[in-house]
Amino acid sequence: MCGIVAATSATANVVPLLIHGLQKLEYRGYDSAGLALLKGGVLERRRTVGRVAQLVRQTEDLAATTGIAHTRWATHGAPAEKNAHPHLSHGLAVVHNGIIENYVQLKAELTAEGYVFTSDTDTETIAHLIAAELKHHPDLAEATRHACLRLQGAYAIAVIAEAAPERVVVAREGSPLLLGVGEDGHYAASDPSALLKTTRRMIYLENGDLADLTPHTCVIRRLDGTIVARPETRSQLAADAVELGSYRHYMQKEIFEQPTALANTLEMVTANASLQPGLFGANAEEVFAQADSVLVLACGTSSHAGMVARNWIEELARLPTTVEIASEYRYRASVANPRQLVVAISQSGETADTQAALRHAKALGQPLTLAICNVAESAIVRESALRFITRAGPEIGVASTKAFTTQLATLFLLALLLAKAKGRLTAEEEARHLTALRHLPLAVQKVLALEPEIAVWARRFADKQHALFLGRGRHYPVALEGALKLKEISYIHAEAYPAGELKHGPLALVDKDMPVIAVAPNDKLLEKLKSNLQEVRARGGELYVFADQGCQMLEADDATHVLALPEHYGLTSPILHVMPLQLLAYHAALIKGTDVDKPRNLAKSVTVE
C-alpha cells in the first residue's frame, strides 16, 4: 500500500535518501507521490500524480537535512495532486498510511474551528488536528501524541514542522513503521528496503508507539506519555536482493528464484533425518498435541495456499480444517474452539484484514496461534504463539509467486508434523516425504525449463477477453491461483472452478473464444477430469492442459494443447503445477504490454481494510 520515508540528518542532504526510499517502495503500489522538506526553517512541498520518476524531476534543485516523503494508494479521494501527500496545515506537514475511521466527525469539528480543507482525504484531518493541538501543547511530539489519542482506525504517520526544524515525529497504530539508526541521523520507513542503502540498524515500533527523532536522539513513548525502549536489530536483508539484475521484471526474477527460495525455506528440514516440531516454535510440540482442528485465516493468494493445506491436513493428520477469508471471518458470528490451531498466513505479516482476524480469534478465546510469514519482524509474527518464517527473500512484484510456493512448502510441513503429533505418520512415510522435499528444488528447476513452450501458449490466447481455469481436489486452489495471476497482471478476466462443477453452469460460457486451462496431474481424479475436459471439446472450446509425464491425456489437436511436466510429484504436486500458470500469466502480460510488476489499482502489502 502507501509508503513512508522520513529522515533527519546532522549534515547530509536527505533528498536523495527520500527519493531512493520511495523508489524501493514502488512495488507496494501507488498512484501519486510527494515530499516535504524543511529548508532554512521553511516548509517546501512537491507532489505529483504518477510515478516517482516524475517527482525526481521536480526535486533536482532541492536540498535539506530534514524531510518526509510518501507514495499514495488512493482510499479517500481520487488520484489527484490535491489528494497526494504530504498535507499541510499552519507550518506543519504530515504523511500517513492507513485509514482514519472517524475523520468525518473530526473534519466537521475542525471546519467549525476555521480550518480549511483542500483535499478529499482523511489524512488532511490529521494535519489540521495536530495544528489545533499545538495551540494547547506547543511541543510537536506532545501535540502529535494528543492528536493520535483522538484518531480511530489504522495509521502510520510522520510529521515535520517549521517550529521544529531538526525533528521528525512518527507514530503507528495498525500500520507498519520502523526506525533506522545511522551515524549522522535518524530515519523512519514503512518497509526496511527503503533504508537499506543508508543503514541496517532497525528499530521496529509497536502499535501505540510514538517516536521523536532528531539527528542525534531517538525517544520512543507510548501514547500515554510513558517512555519505552525498543530493541535495535540488524536487518539481514541484502541490499542487492531488491535489485532487478538481469531480469526484465521482478515477477520474472521471483518466478526463477523459486528453487532457491524453497531450498532456503526447507533447509532446516531437509538437513535432518526426521521432522522436528520445534521448527514452528519452542512449544510447538505441546500445541500440536492439544489441537483438535485447524482454522486458516488469510487473504488473496495466501488463502489459496490455505485451501491446499486443508486438503493436506485432513488427509495426513485427519484434523478438521476450515479456511476463512480474513476480511469476512471477524464480521460473522463464529463458534470459538480453544483447542483449534489458528494459522494466519501473510507474505508481509502486516496484512490488515489477516492481523485483525487473528486478534479476533484470540479475543474469542483461541490461544493456539501460528503465523506463517516471510517477514520475521512483522506484526502477525509478533502476535502469534508459534511462527514459521518462510525464506523467500523480498518479493517486489505485486503478483505473488515465490511467497506462495514457500507458503505451500511450509503448510505441507505443518500437515506432516500434525500427522506425526497425532500418531498418524509412520517412520517410513516420514522418510519418504523428507526425500520428496529434498528433491523439490531440482523438480522446480525442471518445471521452469518449460518456459519456452508456455510462452508459445501465451501468444495463442493473449488476445482473448476471458479464460476459464479448471482443477480438482487439491489442484482446484491451484486453478484459482492461476486465474488470479492472469487477471492481476494481464487484465484478462479469468475464473476458476472445480472441474466437476463445469456442467452446473460454467459450461454455458464455453465456446471457441473461451480458452480453458486445466491442471491435470496423474492422480486418482485424473479420469474424472478427462470426462470434464471432453465436455469442453464437445462444445468447441480450446483446451490448454498441464499434465504429468507419462499419463494418458487427451489426444492433442488444433483445439487441444497438452504440456507434460517432467514427472509426477504426488502430494507436493500443487507446488509444481502452479509454476506453469505463473509463467503463462507473465508471458500473456508481456504480449499485452501491461505493467507486470505494478498492475493497475493493486498494491503489494494491503495494510488497510
Side-chain angles (χ1 to χ4, degrees), residues 528-541:
K528 292 191 177 296
L529 178 63
K530 286 182 188 178
S531 299
N532 304 138
L533 300 186
Q534 291 286 13
E535 296 167 0
V536 174
R537 294 180 81 175
R539 272 76 179 177

Side-chain angles (χ1 to χ4, degrees), residues 37-44 63-66 161-166:
L37 305 168
L38 286 170
K39 289 185 63 180
V42 178
L43 273 175
E44 184 157 354
T65 56
T66 300
E162 291 177 342
E166 287 193 331

Side-chain angles (χ1 to χ4, degrees), residues 362-438:
K362 291 166 67 176
L364 290 176
Q366 301 192 137
L368 308 182
T369 56
L370 164 64
I372 294 175
C373 179
N374 195 38
V375 181
E377 304 88 353
S378 61
I380 289 174
V381 169
R382 293 197 303 268
E383 295 180 24
S384 299
L386 305 178
R387 73 283 310 272
F388 191 103
I389 308 303
T390 60
R391 294 173 60 192
E395 189 178 65
I396 307 301
V398 165
S400 181
T401 52
K402 61 177 181 174
F404 176 67
T405 49
T406 53
Q407 286 172 356
L408 285 178
T410 303
L411 289 162
F412 186 65
L413 287 177
L414 176 63
L416 292 174
L417 281 163
L418 287 170
K420 190 173 182 178
K422 303 302 178 185
R424 298 185 175 114
L425 186 71
T426 67
E428 292 76 15
E429 290 169 334
E430 182 178 356
R432 188 174 70 249
H433 289 308
L434 278 170
T435 299
L437 290 174
R438 293 186 186 104

